[in-house]
Amino acid sequence: MAKTAQSAMYRGSVHDFPDFDPNQDAEALYTAMKGFGSDKESILELITSRSNKQRQEICQSYKSLYGKDLIADLKYELTGKFERLIVNLMRPLAYCDAKEIKDAISGIGTDEKCLIEILASRTNEQMHQLVAAYKDAYERDLESDIIGDTSGHFQKMLVVLLQGTRENDDVVSEDLVQQDVQDLYEAGELKWGTDEAQFIYILGNRSKQHLRLVFDEYLKTTGKPIEASIRGELSGDFEKLMLAVVKCIRSTPEYFAERLFKAMKGLGTRDNTLIRIMVSRSELDMLDIREIFRTKYEKSLYSMIKNDTSGEYKKALLKLCGGDDDAAGQFFPEAAQVAYQMWELSAVARVELRGTVCAANDFNPDADAKALRKAMKGIGTDEATIIDIITHRSNAQRQQIRQTFKSHFGRDLMADLKSEISGDLARLILGLMMPPAHYDAKQLKKAMEGAGTDEKALIEILATRTNAEIQAINEAYKEDYHKSLEDALSSDTSGHFRRILISLATGNREEGGENRDQAREDAQVAAEILEIADTPSGDKTSLETRFMTVLCTRSYPHLRRVFQEFIKMTNYDIEHVIKKEMSGDVKDAFVAIVQSVKNKPLFFADKLYKSMKGAGTDEKTLTRVMISRSEIDLFNIRREFIEKYDKSLHQAIEGDTSGDFLKALLALCGGED
């Protein structure tokens, strides 16, 4: 806990209460719990307004005045999540952590996420206090209990962290940084198998400042962030623990912002996680967590808690949060720098894009053509063979199979497949058999056919394809439908949305690097969008036109710099501004471009998640993304999916599809993360 609430470095949301009188507070709590029922409002108001140190004094005064245990009385009077929150606030932080760990390893099964969160994030001093508190509260040795309930490399790393012997952030040796980078590289990427002991030793013992330099040098040396190597070399709970350690080394507040977001997103709330973090960080770094939460998720922590909880439980959590960063319509002053640093990191990282489908070794188009013919000949169809062959060949190999099939049997493989399979499986298999440009052209044609237009499909394809891919799509569209793509878009869309799509469909995006002077000018153009709501419609049209030119024609590296400059200039993330100030298809198109520039695999991970969440499945989007990204970046999409949604793409597909369609999708997915 911070030494004083008045410290210049204090970043908590809960402070020492002025003119504090523990006897008076003890009397107020006794009165609130006296008689029939209890005054929950008074209890939460008092307890959330006192620091943990002051709460301990209240406990002592309560016992002195009434001969009773305050925590026991609170447990008796309160119930549910509200009781758990209030009782946790009344315990010293070390005892609170000890109780959480005891609960995590008691009974059948282990709450590994709880163990990871606490042991990966605590300082040396906090760790020593935790061990002592556990011994005092339960008369047991924490290390022995951890060893008894965990195993393997996961157990070893937990024990190392439990020692609380991480080096202090003092002078860092450049030679040792280089040596650690080399040792990590040799222990993982350069080794058949993985030397987990090196990862455990270096990540478990080196100082935070030292490790930040190691991570920077590792990226420069290997071309990939340390997180990518951990995901590639480690697995299971051990992998999750090491990633949590790395996140806490980089930024402990960002780690907790992410944990809080995941605790509240989607259906249901992980209340134990929410309570644990709000209690443990309220006097340490809650303001930092709030800043990063607002920057990263484009909403305030306060508003998310407000929308996701209820009753006295909600009121107490909001008190601990300490304020609504959306109330004034802007970030904390410090948030721009936080966001800028996040962009710097993303701009430096050059993650290798990987598909899940590769060219098959020992490829024999003759054998494949014969196997497919046999699978479709006679009564019944062998779908398993069709799925196995087509999902395990590259698109170039599939085209060879089509040609060989026609040469051998004088038949069109696509026509035969269409007659033998149906439904979602047919759409998936036939889509895989088409050359990518022709497949995209067909999806665009379908999006503009009949009554109504599928604007989301148009945006998804045109906002994410490279110049070369766009040019190939134009040629394929002309060849297949005897009409230019531009003419088709002009006939089926209108206004600014049409202009955006046509601009994207020219495939003339610049392909150079960044120009800092131009980036500042472009950021200024974008900044004027903030004034849209207060300007006449003519000005709005002009601003959108200028903004469209920037987003639709500048190179990706340049746009990343524009987004950084925009944050520095306005204290806002450009994506948040677009969502707030624009509407309809124009907004959706601009957001898709920005998200694609920021992180294209994450954009597609979001598309896949949304296609499978809630009631019903959007099979068209699911099929389109799985086909189009399987040889480009589906492996990266899988990583982003599990990072953001805390479950693997494989699990999501398994839970949302069935039959042969499921089998084919899982084959394309390429593995379980």
Side-chain angles (χ1 to χ4, degrees), residues 177-196 198-199 202-203 214-215 217-226 228-230 233 352:
V177 167
Q178 294 296 337
Q179 185 61 54
D180 282 349
V181 169
Q182 191 61 32
D183 288 346
L184 287 171
Y185 191 40
E186 290 177 356
E189 299 287 338
L190 295 182
K191 187 179 178 65
W192 181 260
T194 306
D195 182 359
E196 289 86 354
Q198 280 286 21
F199 280 85
I202 293 172
L203 294 181
V214 168
F215 299 160
E217 287 301 315
Y218 190 91
L219 178 61
K220 292 177 186 175
T221 301
T222 67
K224 61 169 66 174
I226 188 69
S229 290
I230 289 172
E233 298 297 328
E352 178 188 1

Short mmCIF file of all heavy atoms in Angstrom, two decimals, residues 177-196 198-199 202-203 214-215 217-226 228-230 233 352:
data_model
loop_
_atom_site.label_atom_id
_atom_site.label_comp_id
_atom_site.label_asym_id
_atom_site.label_seq_id
_atom_site.Cartn_x
_atom_site.Cartn_y
_atom_site.Cartn_z
N VAL A 177 21.92 -8.05 -20.60
CA VAL A 177 20.71 -7.98 -21.44
C VAL A 177 20.91 -8.81 -22.69
O VAL A 177 20.07 -9.64 -23.06
CB VAL A 177 20.38 -6.51 -21.80
CG1 VAL A 177 19.33 -6.47 -22.91
CG2 VAL A 177 19.87 -5.75 -20.58
N GLN A 178 22.04 -8.60 -23.38
CA GLN A 178 22.33 -9.35 -24.60
C GLN A 178 22.43 -10.85 -24.34
O GLN A 178 21.95 -11.67 -25.13
CB GLN A 178 23.64 -8.84 -25.24
CG GLN A 178 23.57 -7.41 -25.75
CD GLN A 178 22.57 -7.24 -26.89
OE1 GLN A 178 22.23 -8.19 -27.59
NE2 GLN A 178 22.09 -6.02 -27.08
N GLN A 179 23.04 -11.20 -23.21
CA GLN A 179 23.18 -12.61 -22.86
C GLN A 179 21.83 -13.26 -22.60
O GLN A 179 21.56 -14.38 -23.06
CB GLN A 179 24.07 -12.76 -21.62
CG GLN A 179 24.38 -14.21 -21.25
CD GLN A 179 25.13 -14.94 -22.34
OE1 GLN A 179 26.18 -14.48 -22.80
NE2 GLN A 179 24.61 -16.08 -22.79
N ASP A 180 20.95 -12.55 -21.89
CA ASP A 180 19.62 -13.10 -21.62
C ASP A 180 18.81 -13.26 -22.90
O ASP A 180 18.06 -14.24 -23.06
CB ASP A 180 18.86 -12.19 -20.63
CG ASP A 180 19.32 -12.38 -19.19
OD1 ASP A 180 20.08 -13.35 -18.94
OD2 ASP A 180 18.95 -11.57 -18.33
N VAL A 181 18.94 -12.30 -23.82
CA VAL A 181 18.25 -12.41 -25.11
C VAL A 181 18.72 -13.66 -25.83
O VAL A 181 17.90 -14.46 -26.35
CB VAL A 181 18.50 -11.16 -25.98
CG1 VAL A 181 18.02 -11.40 -27.41
CG2 VAL A 181 17.80 -9.95 -25.38
N GLN A 182 20.03 -13.86 -25.86
CA GLN A 182 20.59 -15.03 -26.54
C GLN A 182 20.15 -16.32 -25.87
O GLN A 182 19.79 -17.30 -26.53
CB GLN A 182 22.13 -14.95 -26.56
CG GLN A 182 22.81 -15.97 -27.45
CD GLN A 182 22.42 -15.83 -28.92
OE1 GLN A 182 22.14 -14.73 -29.39
NE2 GLN A 182 22.36 -16.94 -29.63
N ASP A 183 20.15 -16.32 -24.53
CA ASP A 183 19.75 -17.53 -23.79
C ASP A 183 18.28 -17.87 -24.04
O ASP A 183 17.93 -19.06 -24.21
CB ASP A 183 19.99 -17.33 -22.29
CG ASP A 183 21.47 -17.35 -21.93
OD1 ASP A 183 22.29 -17.77 -22.78
OD2 ASP A 183 21.81 -16.92 -20.80
N LEU A 184 17.41 -16.85 -24.06
CA LEU A 184 16.00 -17.10 -24.32
C LEU A 184 15.78 -17.60 -25.74
O LEU A 184 14.98 -18.51 -25.98
CB LEU A 184 15.18 -15.82 -24.09
CG LEU A 184 14.98 -15.39 -22.63
CD1 LEU A 184 14.35 -14.01 -22.57
CD2 LEU A 184 14.11 -16.39 -21.87
N TYR A 185 16.52 -17.00 -26.68
CA TYR A 185 16.39 -17.41 -28.09
C TYR A 185 16.84 -18.85 -28.27
O TYR A 185 16.17 -19.66 -28.92
CB TYR A 185 17.22 -16.46 -28.95
CG TYR A 185 16.98 -16.58 -30.44
CD1 TYR A 185 15.69 -16.78 -30.95
CD2 TYR A 185 18.03 -16.48 -31.34
CE1 TYR A 185 15.46 -16.88 -32.31
CE2 TYR A 185 17.81 -16.57 -32.72
CZ TYR A 185 16.52 -16.78 -33.19
OH TYR A 185 16.31 -16.88 -34.54
N GLU A 186 17.96 -19.17 -27.67
CA GLU A 186 18.50 -20.54 -27.80
C GLU A 186 17.63 -21.55 -27.04
O GLU A 186 17.54 -22.71 -27.43
CB GLU A 186 19.93 -20.59 -27.28
CG GLU A 186 20.92 -19.84 -28.19
CD GLU A 186 22.33 -19.84 -27.63
OE1 GLU A 186 22.52 -20.34 -26.49
OE2 GLU A 186 23.25 -19.32 -28.32
N ALA A 187 16.99 -21.11 -25.97
CA ALA A 187 16.15 -22.02 -25.18
C ALA A 187 14.82 -22.30 -25.87
O ALA A 187 14.15 -23.29 -25.55
CB ALA A 187 15.88 -21.42 -23.80
N GLY A 188 14.44 -21.44 -26.83
CA GLY A 188 13.15 -21.62 -27.49
C GLY A 188 13.25 -21.80 -28.97
O GLY A 188 13.25 -22.91 -29.49
N GLU A 189 13.38 -20.69 -29.69
CA GLU A 189 13.31 -20.71 -31.15
C GLU A 189 14.37 -21.58 -31.79
O GLU A 189 14.13 -22.23 -32.82
CB GLU A 189 13.43 -19.27 -31.68
CG GLU A 189 12.35 -18.33 -31.21
CD GLU A 189 11.01 -18.60 -31.87
OE1 GLU A 189 10.98 -19.21 -32.95
OE2 GLU A 189 9.98 -18.21 -31.28
N LEU A 190 15.59 -21.59 -31.22
CA LEU A 190 16.70 -22.31 -31.86
C LEU A 190 16.84 -23.74 -31.38
O LEU A 190 17.74 -24.45 -31.81
CB LEU A 190 18.02 -21.56 -31.62
CG LEU A 190 18.13 -20.17 -32.25
CD1 LEU A 190 19.51 -19.58 -31.97
CD2 LEU A 190 17.88 -20.21 -33.76
N LYS A 191 15.97 -24.16 -30.48
CA LYS A 191 16.13 -25.48 -29.86
C LYS A 191 15.01 -26.42 -30.28
O LYS A 191 13.86 -26.00 -30.41
CB LYS A 191 16.13 -25.33 -28.33
CG LYS A 191 16.46 -26.59 -27.55
CD LYS A 191 16.45 -26.29 -26.06
CE LYS A 191 16.72 -27.54 -25.24
NZ LYS A 191 18.06 -28.08 -25.44
N TRP A 192 15.36 -27.68 -30.52
CA TRP A 192 14.34 -28.70 -30.74
C TRP A 192 13.73 -29.02 -29.38
O TRP A 192 14.38 -29.54 -28.50
CB TRP A 192 14.98 -29.95 -31.36
CG TRP A 192 13.95 -31.02 -31.63
CD1 TRP A 192 13.69 -32.11 -30.87
CD2 TRP A 192 13.04 -31.08 -32.74
NE1 TRP A 192 12.67 -32.85 -31.42
CE2 TRP A 192 12.25 -32.25 -32.58
CE3 TRP A 192 12.81 -30.27 -33.85
CZ2 TRP A 192 11.27 -32.62 -33.48
CZ3 TRP A 192 11.83 -30.65 -34.75
CH2 TRP A 192 11.08 -31.81 -34.56
N GLY A 193 12.46 -28.66 -29.20
CA GLY A 193 11.91 -28.68 -27.86
C GLY A 193 12.22 -27.35 -27.20
O GLY A 193 12.72 -26.42 -27.83
N THR A 194 11.97 -27.23 -25.92
CA THR A 194 12.16 -25.95 -25.23
C THR A 194 12.86 -26.19 -23.90
O THR A 194 12.53 -27.12 -23.17
CB THR A 194 10.79 -25.28 -24.97
OG1 THR A 194 10.07 -25.18 -26.20
CG2 THR A 194 10.97 -23.89 -24.38
N ASP A 195 13.83 -25.31 -23.60
CA ASP A 195 14.49 -25.35 -22.30
C ASP A 195 13.72 -24.42 -21.37
O ASP A 195 14.03 -23.23 -21.24
CB ASP A 195 15.95 -24.90 -22.45
CG ASP A 195 16.72 -24.97 -21.13
OD1 ASP A 195 16.11 -25.35 -20.11
OD2 ASP A 195 17.92 -24.64 -21.13
N GLU A 196 12.69 -24.98 -20.73
CA GLU A 196 11.80 -24.16 -19.90
C GLU A 196 12.53 -23.53 -18.72
O GLU A 196 12.16 -22.45 -18.25
CB GLU A 196 10.62 -25.00 -19.39
CG GLU A 196 9.61 -25.39 -20.45
CD GLU A 196 9.98 -26.67 -21.19
OE1 GLU A 196 11.09 -27.19 -20.95
OE2 GLU A 196 9.15 -27.15 -22.00
N GLN A 198 15.35 -22.05 -18.55
CA GLN A 198 15.91 -20.73 -18.86
C GLN A 198 14.82 -19.67 -18.79
O GLN A 198 15.04 -18.57 -18.27
CB GLN A 198 16.55 -20.73 -20.26
CG GLN A 198 17.93 -21.34 -20.32
CD GLN A 198 19.00 -20.43 -19.71
OE1 GLN A 198 18.72 -19.55 -18.93
NE2 GLN A 198 20.24 -20.68 -20.08
N PHE A 199 13.66 -19.97 -19.35
CA PHE A 199 12.55 -19.03 -19.28
C PHE A 199 12.18 -18.76 -17.82
O PHE A 199 11.94 -17.61 -17.44
CB PHE A 199 11.33 -19.59 -20.03
CG PHE A 199 11.39 -19.41 -21.52
CD1 PHE A 199 12.05 -20.33 -22.33
CD2 PHE A 199 10.79 -18.32 -22.13
CE1 PHE A 199 12.11 -20.16 -23.70
CE2 PHE A 199 10.84 -18.15 -23.51
CZ PHE A 199 11.50 -19.07 -24.29
N ILE A 202 15.11 -16.59 -15.99
CA ILE A 202 15.24 -15.20 -16.43
C ILE A 202 13.98 -14.39 -16.10
O ILE A 202 14.05 -13.31 -15.52
CB ILE A 202 15.58 -15.13 -17.93
CG1 ILE A 202 16.98 -15.71 -18.18
CG2 ILE A 202 15.51 -13.70 -18.44
CD1 ILE A 202 17.34 -15.88 -19.64
N LEU A 203 12.81 -14.92 -16.46
CA LEU A 203 11.57 -14.17 -16.23
C LEU A 203 11.16 -14.14 -14.76
O LEU A 203 10.41 -13.27 -14.33
CB LEU A 203 10.43 -14.76 -17.06
CG LEU A 203 10.57 -14.63 -18.58
CD1 LEU A 203 9.37 -15.22 -19.29
CD2 LEU A 203 10.74 -13.18 -18.99
N VAL A 214 15.39 -6.39 -22.15
CA VAL A 214 15.51 -7.71 -22.78
C VAL A 214 14.43 -7.89 -23.83
O VAL A 214 14.70 -8.36 -24.95
CB VAL A 214 15.43 -8.84 -21.72
CG1 VAL A 214 15.27 -10.21 -22.39
CG2 VAL A 214 16.68 -8.84 -20.85
N PHE A 215 13.20 -7.51 -23.50
CA PHE A 215 12.09 -7.67 -24.46
C PHE A 215 12.32 -6.81 -25.71
O PHE A 215 12.05 -7.24 -26.83
CB PHE A 215 10.76 -7.28 -23.81
CG PHE A 215 10.38 -8.11 -22.61
CD1 PHE A 215 9.44 -7.65 -21.69
CD2 PHE A 215 10.96 -9.36 -22.39
CE1 PHE A 215 9.09 -8.42 -20.58
CE2 PHE A 215 10.62 -10.13 -21.28
CZ PHE A 215 9.69 -9.65 -20.38
N GLU A 217 15.24 -5.80 -26.94
CA GLU A 217 16.34 -6.38 -27.71
C GLU A 217 15.93 -7.69 -28.36
O GLU A 217 16.37 -8.02 -29.46
CB GLU A 217 17.57 -6.61 -26.81
CG GLU A 217 18.29 -5.34 -26.41
CD GLU A 217 18.80 -4.58 -27.63
OE1 GLU A 217 19.37 -5.21 -28.55
OE2 GLU A 217 18.59 -3.35 -27.67
N TYR A 218 15.07 -8.45 -27.68
CA TYR A 218 14.59 -9.71 -28.24
C TYR A 218 13.82 -9.46 -29.53
O TYR A 218 13.99 -10.18 -30.52
CB TYR A 218 13.69 -10.42 -27.22
CG TYR A 218 13.34 -11.85 -27.60
CD1 TYR A 218 14.14 -12.90 -27.17
CD2 TYR A 218 12.22 -12.14 -28.37
CE1 TYR A 218 13.84 -14.21 -27.50
CE2 TYR A 218 11.91 -13.45 -28.72
CZ TYR A 218 12.72 -14.48 -28.28
OH TYR A 218 12.41 -15.77 -28.64
N LEU A 219 13.00 -8.41 -29.54
CA LEU A 219 12.24 -8.05 -30.73
C LEU A 219 13.18 -7.66 -31.87
O LEU A 219 13.00 -8.08 -33.02
CB LEU A 219 11.28 -6.91 -30.42
CG LEU A 219 10.42 -6.38 -31.56
CD1 LEU A 219 9.52 -7.47 -32.13
CD2 LEU A 219 9.58 -5.20 -31.10
N LYS A 220 14.19 -6.85 -31.55
CA LYS A 220 15.14 -6.42 -32.57
C LYS A 220 15.94 -7.61 -33.13
O LYS A 220 16.21 -7.69 -34.32
CB LYS A 220 16.11 -5.39 -31.99
CG LYS A 220 15.47 -4.06 -31.64
CD LYS A 220 16.49 -3.13 -31.00
CE LYS A 220 15.83 -1.84 -30.50
NZ LYS A 220 16.79 -0.99 -29.78
N THR A 221 16.32 -8.52 -32.25
CA THR A 221 17.17 -9.65 -32.64
C THR A 221 16.42 -10.71 -33.43
O THR A 221 16.91 -11.23 -34.43
CB THR A 221 17.80 -10.30 -31.37
OG1 THR A 221 18.56 -9.31 -30.68
CG2 THR A 221 18.71 -11.47 -31.75
N THR A 222 15.20 -11.03 -32.98
CA THR A 222 14.47 -12.17 -33.56
C THR A 222 13.38 -11.74 -34.54
O THR A 222 12.87 -12.58 -35.29
CB THR A 222 13.82 -13.01 -32.46
OG1 THR A 222 12.78 -12.23 -31.83
CG2 THR A 222 14.84 -13.42 -31.40
N GLY A 223 12.99 -10.46 -34.49
CA GLY A 223 11.91 -10.01 -35.36
C GLY A 223 10.53 -10.33 -34.84
O GLY A 223 9.53 -10.14 -35.53
N LYS A 224 10.44 -10.85 -33.62
CA LYS A 224 9.12 -11.15 -33.04
C LYS A 224 9.13 -10.80 -31.55
O LYS A 224 10.18 -10.90 -30.89
CB LYS A 224 8.74 -12.61 -33.25
CG LYS A 224 9.68 -13.62 -32.61
CD LYS A 224 9.09 -15.02 -32.64
CE LYS A 224 8.96 -15.55 -34.04
NZ LYS A 224 8.52 -16.95 -34.06
N PRO A 225 7.99 -10.37 -31.01
CA PRO A 225 7.93 -10.07 -29.58
C PRO A 225 8.09 -11.33 -28.75
O PRO A 225 7.79 -12.44 -29.22
CB PRO A 225 6.55 -9.45 -29.40
CG PRO A 225 5.76 -9.90 -30.57
CD PRO A 225 6.71 -10.13 -31.69
N ILE A 226 8.53 -11.16 -27.51
CA ILE A 226 8.76 -12.31 -26.63
C ILE A 226 7.46 -13.10 -26.43
O ILE A 226 7.48 -14.33 -26.29
CB ILE A 226 9.33 -11.85 -25.26
CG1 ILE A 226 9.75 -13.04 -24.40
CG2 ILE A 226 8.33 -10.97 -24.53
CD1 ILE A 226 10.94 -13.79 -24.90
N ALA A 228 5.21 -13.81 -28.60
CA ALA A 228 5.02 -14.75 -29.71
C ALA A 228 5.85 -16.01 -29.50
O ALA A 228 5.39 -17.12 -29.78
CB ALA A 228 5.40 -14.08 -31.04
N SER A 229 7.06 -15.84 -28.98
CA SER A 229 7.90 -17.01 -28.72
C SER A 229 7.33 -17.86 -27.59
O SER A 229 7.36 -19.09 -27.64
CB SER A 229 9.33 -16.57 -28.37
OG SER A 229 9.97 -16.04 -29.51
N ILE A 230 6.81 -17.19 -26.55
CA ILE A 230 6.21 -17.94 -25.44
C ILE A 230 5.02 -18.76 -25.92
O ILE A 230 4.87 -19.93 -25.58
CB ILE A 230 5.79 -16.97 -24.31
CG1 ILE A 230 7.04 -16.41 -23.61
CG2 ILE A 230 4.88 -17.66 -23.30
CD1 ILE A 230 6.74 -15.31 -22.61
N GLU A 233 6.34 -21.72 -27.96
CA GLU A 233 7.20 -22.70 -27.31
C GLU A 233 6.58 -23.35 -26.08
O GLU A 233 6.93 -24.47 -25.73
CB GLU A 233 8.53 -22.04 -26.91
CG GLU A 233 9.35 -21.49 -28.08
CD GLU A 233 9.79 -22.59 -29.03
OE1 GLU A 233 10.03 -23.72 -28.56
OE2 GLU A 233 9.89 -22.33 -30.24
N GLU A 352 5.24 -12.01 -37.81
CA GLU A 352 5.14 -12.79 -39.05
C GLU A 352 3.73 -13.33 -39.20
O GLU A 352 3.18 -13.96 -38.30
CB GLU A 352 6.15 -13.94 -38.99
CG GLU A 352 6.11 -14.84 -40.21
CD GLU A 352 6.96 -16.08 -40.05
OE1 GLU A 352 7.57 -16.24 -38.98
OE2 GLU A 352 7.00 -16.89 -40.99
#
